[in-house]
Amino acid sequence: MSSPGFSRLSEIGAFVLFLNAALAQPAQARDSNIEVTPYLEVQQVLVADLKHGSDVLTYSTIAAGVESSVQTRQAEAQVNIRYERRFFYEDDIGDDDILSGLARGRVQVVPDVLAMEAGGIATRSRVDLRGGAPTNIVGNIDNVTQVYSVYTGPSLATNIGKLRVNANYRIGYSKVESGDSGTLPPGQSPIDIFDDSVSHSASAAVGMRPGDLPFGWTAGAGYEREDAGQLDQRFEGKYVHVDITVPVAPTVALVGSAGYEDIEISERDALRDINGDPVIDDDGRLVTDKTSPRLLSYDQDGLIWDAGVLWRPSRRTSLEARIGRRYGSTTYTGNFSYRPNENTSLNVLIYDTVSGFGNLLNDNLALLGTSFTSDRNPLSGELNGCAFGQTNSLCLNDALQSAASSAFRARGVNAQYVYSYNGWNSAFAAGYSRRRFFASQLGGVAIIDGLVDENYYANLSIGRQLDMRSNIVTNVYANLLDSGFADAANVLALGVNAAYHRQIIPRLNGTAAVGLDSYRQDGFYSDLTASALLGLQYEF
């Protein structure tokens, strides 16, 4: 009779052989601008509960991943994807599978005229803003769910005489796996959780630069729609606009726009039991009443406008700030980009938008360029909250702070700074997000209508190349979450981790990492864990 340990090692060994066969391919293409690096990892991890006794959890992982970069005249792409299988030694914890990754690509169908773009992300999100905020996601974890989002579509940019013509179309799909928020503070009821959606976005514009006329102009129109499975929710937006750019100095221009917009968000009621209470399915989501009439959650139409200033002293520096009227109130938007050299970049974005969960994920992906860096938590293997690109950066903290099913108005600011010099690499991101949710007062999620949640976050990563074969990376994060629910505690998450990487022989690398993670729900629950990892990675 074989021992449990021998059985576990046999299972891991079989899984290693399977992944090794799947990844047996050349590690790098001949073209110096195309790099494809598949890898296989084995790790042993220890997690200790420092707050509630002395529980210690150990587990083994087998992971397979691909990191690739493509930069040619016809195609640009960046891919970072990883599949991990966790093998636990505790009887009450089942083995776990985790898929995480980020990808963006662009292919020139007709050079400099027509291109196809695509993007995708697989990551984890918090379910309910009032629940726990675990970062090192190990074991039977509540209030965390797997999220997938992909999009693709063509983009057109060409000149017709002196007119500049642009057009874009995008179709996207987003999915949230589980709706279980776990244990909430006393007196708090679970919110309804997003399931999946299909989104469409189309826009077209024509315009001229300043020159023949003392000002530049653009006339455009757009259409957006998101159909969500949960409560059959529908977001539909249409707009037309005219933009004007008036140069007043060699580096300064006044900018403004005016137009008309119509946004309508609707849903169906939840199925009710004999007592009139909403019916909840096995996944913790409300069951849609297919016979219910559509219920309006948000209906806003009318004139929209904004005005501001554009400052562009060089190709490396750009600042734009606007104030206007949209969504029935005053709006403030802006962006600042500064890239003095190849080693330094600073991006700041002030945004104000009305969207659904899936559409916001697709919008964030589309803003990220096709060349970026995306670090992973050395202990969990999952993507950190931000990806840093040469022209734009992406932080998903606003989109993934909770997976509520209702649409919302999102306002906030994101800032990212990247610096590398003489073996040092650093990245800092910070931001604030405020969402106001929309729901029908006659439907199953009326409790969330008008609710405002807020999220403050910061992430810092510092790395140092010690020599030709080794480096060290340290990450620090902080996150403060306010759900907006009456009597619900704020949630504060803090953590730090560090990893040492060393090449043992060509293609074989070793990793040692430690971390400390905590979160606290005021007056309800707190958690503090320490983690350690030893691992090997082989690059094919």
Side-chain angles (χ1 to χ4, degrees), residues 99-112:
L99 177 65
S100 60
L102 181 62
R104 272 286 279 120
R106 179 183 176 91
V107 176
Q108 296 285 343
V109 181
V110 179
D112 300 323

Side-chain angles (χ1 to χ4, degrees), residues 259-281:
Y260 174 83
E261 182 174 57
D262 183 7
I263 298 177
E264 183 178 292
I265 304 172
S266 61
E267 64 191 62
R268 297 193 191 276
D269 195 8
L271 189 67
R272 307 280 178 162
D273 61 19
I274 58 175
N275 298 318
D277 297 323
V279 177
I280 299 175
D281 65 15

Side-chain angles (χ1 to χ4, degrees), residues 158-239:
T158 188
N159 293 315
I160 302 177
K162 295 183 179 181
L163 295 178
R164 183 66 175 170
V165 178
N166 294 277
N168 297 274
Y169 170 73
R170 186 178 75 215
I171 181 171
Y173 177 76
S174 300
K175 171 68 178 175
V176 171
E177 283 193 345
S178 170
D180 185 11
S181 60
T183 303
L184 295 175
Q188 301 294 319
S189 300
I191 60 174
D192 195 35
I193 301 304
F194 181 90
D195 185 5
D196 67 346
S197 74
V198 176
S199 59
H200 302 267
S201 177
S203 64
V206 59
M208 293 178 62
R209 295 179 178 273
D212 291 347
L213 297 174
F215 59 88
W217 62 271
T218 300
Y223 176 79
E224 292 187 346
R225 176 163 174 158
E226 180 178 5
D227 292 285
Q230 190 60 16
L231 296 182
D232 197 16
Q233 294 185 62
R234 179 186 299 161
F235 173 100
E236 191 170 29
K238 304 178 283 286
Y239 64 87

Side-chain angles (χ1 to χ4, degrees), residues 67 166 183 259 328 336 362 422 435 453 465 504 507 524:
E67 293 187 6
N166 294 277
T183 303
F336 175 69
N362 285 169
N422 197 27
R435 300 188 301 183
D453 68 18
Q465 191 74 35
I504 301 171
R507 296 190 177 182
F524 177 60

